[in-house]
Amino acid sequence: RTQTRVLTLKQLKDTIQDMYAQKVKFDKKCEEAKVPRETMEQFMYTYLNQKYGLKSLIVEWAASIINAVKTYLREDHEVTLFAKILKNECDEEFRLI
């Protein structure tokens, strides 16, 4: 069973903001290397791998982020938007800049 930490709304939003910032940089590198960009869901694992390196920590943090998103989904618009992006539910025209 995966150990999960309970994230506060602030911790979740800080993580989301950091993930967005890192994804912009990562997307730029993908563009330069002429490789497809990752979805936010794929990138979450890339991000956690870069941040923690250990598979057990990556799995733990991914589960914690997903649980926190489910917890705060209905009470915070930023979390709602992130959930949609994570599930790839946004319109194709919508891009994070």
Side-chain angles (χ1 to χ4, degrees), residues 32-78:
E32 287 163 8
K34 306 244 185 296
V35 295
R37 295 190 305 185
E38 293 185 345
T39 64
M40 185 57 86
E41 185 182 20
Q42 290 167 325
F43 180 74
M44 178 172 72
Y45 291 95
T46 300
Y47 168 84
L48 293 171
N49 187 41
Q50 288 170 346
K51 196 161 178 157
Y52 301 108
L54 279 175
K55 189 172 192 301
S56 58
L57 276 177
I58 295 164
V59 171
E60 178 186 330
W61 270 93
S64 300
I65 290 167
I66 290 163
N67 286 340
V69 166
K70 287 177 183 169
T71 301
Y72 302 115
L73 190 61
R74 286 177 177 46
E75 66 184 75
D76 189 277
H77 294 301
E78 279 179 53

